[in-house]
Amino acid sequence: MKVVEAFCGVEGTSQRTKDLMQWYADTLTGLVAHAAEIDAAVTRALKRSHGGDPHNAGHATYTSLDEDQPRATKLASLGGDANTAQRAELRQLWTSLSPEARAELWTGHKDGLLAAGLLAPTVKKAAPDRGSGPHGLEDPGAEERRTREKMNLVAEAADWKGDNDAARHMAHYLGNSGTDMDLPVDKMMSDVPGFNAHIEDGIREHQAAWRDDALAEFRRNGGQPVSMPVETGNRDFAFAPDVDNNWFYAVGSTRSNVTGVVTVVPDENGQPKVGLDYQANAWDRYNWDESKGVTVPLPWGSDMSIPDGQMARLHTTGIAQEFDMAGSSSVKHYDLGGPAPNQDPLPQPDQPGREGDRTDPGREQQEGR
């Protein structure tokens, strides 16, 4: 399915508009595919209910559309080897299954489902602003080349200083490939307690409602296990330079949400036990609009200033390139309680260790840093 702009401006299509167009196209395509699968499942159910006899519409029974569970199980068994189309199909089947069928699939194939990206966010993942504009629209001049060399030095200095993520992202921008980069969300949460609290706030805001909905489904299902997908809305977070210089220059601000699965199972006495498996997601676009300059403190005590618009011109003159950044945390489990809700602290993010810094023997030393 294709989505196009209603109006075209002289500045061309912004990255934010491109992101929104792609999100709407993917969402509409998914809805159509989902509707087609439901229609096919209902057709099969009706055929089974009358046994193929047009003169006898009621001699057979069919009470569930969970006949797609074997297909979902097969796709889950692929795990990380599932391709893009198979992952999309698995997500559609997951939403089509009944809560009890989802519980069975989740319990038996949790690792495969996670590896296949079942918890990928579905909210809009659009760039927050227009960015610099089209890439390579103009030819670079001497000023742009000097700026690029300065920023290469700044990236190297930041790496030696310990701001490894800021250095890696700047080097990737200057590398001019435009390819996506992974955000280490556990490291972001561990490095910046405010960002971790931001993620926790999203969970705390919804956990009571998630628990109530899952318990209601548990009761409707006669006390049998049920699983329900959950997701928070998109919430922005800005990193402050006086709190964490590394993430301020690496990301600036990011969009984030939480995705997960709430499962209710009976204990030995038939009482409900409610659990949440969840991950934090973050995404942004590394860009420099025309109003952005930068002043970077250097290790030897002085600062280097790049005037407003100079960083953006590296993109528009084709000697650097904006790119998308996205990532997810490790999956954590949190006990939402039994008959009474649990208010214990949420699990802490995984510690990053030395991955990606200059003491990591496995890291790449150039553009990937």
Side-chain angles (χ1 to χ4, degrees):
M1 185 168 293
K2 185 176 182 180
V3 176
V4 298
E5 286 183 281
F7 301 99
C8 298
V10 295
E11 296 180 342
T13 304
S14 71
Q15 186 62 44
R16 174 174 172 77
T17 300
K18 290 178 182 178
D19 290 344
L20 288 171
M21 288 164 57
Q22 188 62 56
W23 183 84
Y24 281 116
D26 291 345
T27 300
L28 290 171
T29 299
L31 289 172
V32 171
H34 192 191
E37 175 55 36
I38 291 175
D39 182 67
V42 171
T43 300
R44 292 191 296 268
L46 290 173
K47 286 182 178 179
R48 290 188 182 186
S49 68
H50 63 64
D53 183 355
H55 304 293
N56 183 357
H59 74 272
T61 60
Y62 191 81
T63 59
S64 172
L65 298 181
D66 287 342
E67 63 177 35
D68 288 325
Q69 187 172 354
R71 174 61 177 167
T73 301
K74 182 177 180 179
L75 291 172
S77 68
L78 297 175
D81 293 330
N83 60 34
T84 300
Q86 290 167 332
R87 289 169 186 244
E89 182 185 359
L90 178 58
R91 286 193 291 271
Q92 290 164 8
L93 293 174
W94 173 256
T95 58
S96 299
L97 295 175
S98 66
E100 55 270 30
R102 278 198 298 264
E104 183 179 343
L105 184 62
W106 181 253
T107 301
H109 300 275
K110 176 180 174 180
D111 291 343
L113 290 167
L114 293 175
L118 185 73
L119 297 188
T122 64
V123 296
K124 296 177 186 175
K125 295 173 64 176
D129 50 50
R130 285 187 56 85
S132 307
H135 177 251
L137 192 64
E138 309 170 55
D139 292 328
E143 183 65 28
E144 286 76 40
R145 297 188 188 281
R146 281 195 295 270
T147 298
R148 187 177 186 279
E149 290 309 309
K150 286 181 183 178
M151 295 315 298
N152 268 317
L153 292 173
V154 167
E156 190 65 27
D159 199 31
W160 279 105
K161 183 184 172 185
D163 293 339
N164 310 113
D165 302 284
R168 180 167 49 250
H169 289 187
M170 175 57 71
H172 192 66
Y173 177 65
L174 300 173
N176 202 22
S177 69
T179 56
D180 297 351
M181 286 198 76
D182 182 65
L183 283 178
V185 176
D186 276 303
K187 185 174 189 294
M188 295 164 67
M189 295 166 65
S190 180
D191 289 350
V192 184
F195 182 55
N196 187 47
H198 171 81
I199 295 297
E200 290 188 350
D201 288 346
I203 297 172
R204 293 299 191 195
E205 182 179 337
H206 293 87
Q207 72 178 70
W210 290 345
R211 183 175 182 279
D212 289 346
D213 290 345
L215 283 172
E217 196 61 56
F218 176 77
R219 297 186 195 98
R220 277 193 292 269
N221 196 43
Q224 296 301 308
V226 295
S227 289
M228 300 180 63
V230 294
E231 182 171 15
T232 67
N234 177 9
R235 301 170 70 242
D236 291 346
F237 181 84
F239 295 93
D242 56 338
V243 175
D244 193 286
N245 217 46
N246 176 48
W247 288 111
F248 172 74
Y249 284 110
V251 175
S253 62
T254 186
R255 328 203 99 187
S256 64
N257 84 334
V258 173
T259 51
V261 175
V262 175
T263 298
V264 188
V265 298
D267 65 14
E268 62 276 7
N269 298 315
Q271 294 299 306
K273 297 194 312 183
V274 191
L276 167 67
D277 294 286
Y278 69 93
Q279 70 182 28
N281 311 292
W283 60 92
D284 194 20
R285 185 164 178 84
Y286 190 96
N287 59 31
W288 298 82
D289 60 38
E290 294 180 356
S291 65
K292 288 181 183 176
V294 61
T295 298
V296 181
L298 299 176
W300 43 87
S302 59
D303 293 341
M304 179 181 290
S305 294
I306 305 296
D308 288 355
Q310 281 298 309
M311 291 298 296
R313 284 193 58 75
L314 299 185
H315 174 85
T316 57
T317 57
I319 57 175
Q321 191 167 172
E322 298 173 356
F323 57 90
D324 289 329
M325 308 175 286
S328 298
S329 71
S330 56
V331 176
K332 298 294 185 181
H333 180 81
Y334 181 63
D335 179 9
L336 290 176
N342 176 37
Q343 295 296 333
D344 288 345
L346 288 158
Q348 291 301 297
D350 289 353
Q351 294 298 309
R354 59 178 185 168
E355 182 179 353
D357 69 17
R358 298 190 74 89
T359 67
D360 178 3
R363 81 168 192 163
E364 298 197 15
Q365 295 295 325
Q366 299 303 319
E367 181 183 311
R369 272 177 155 65

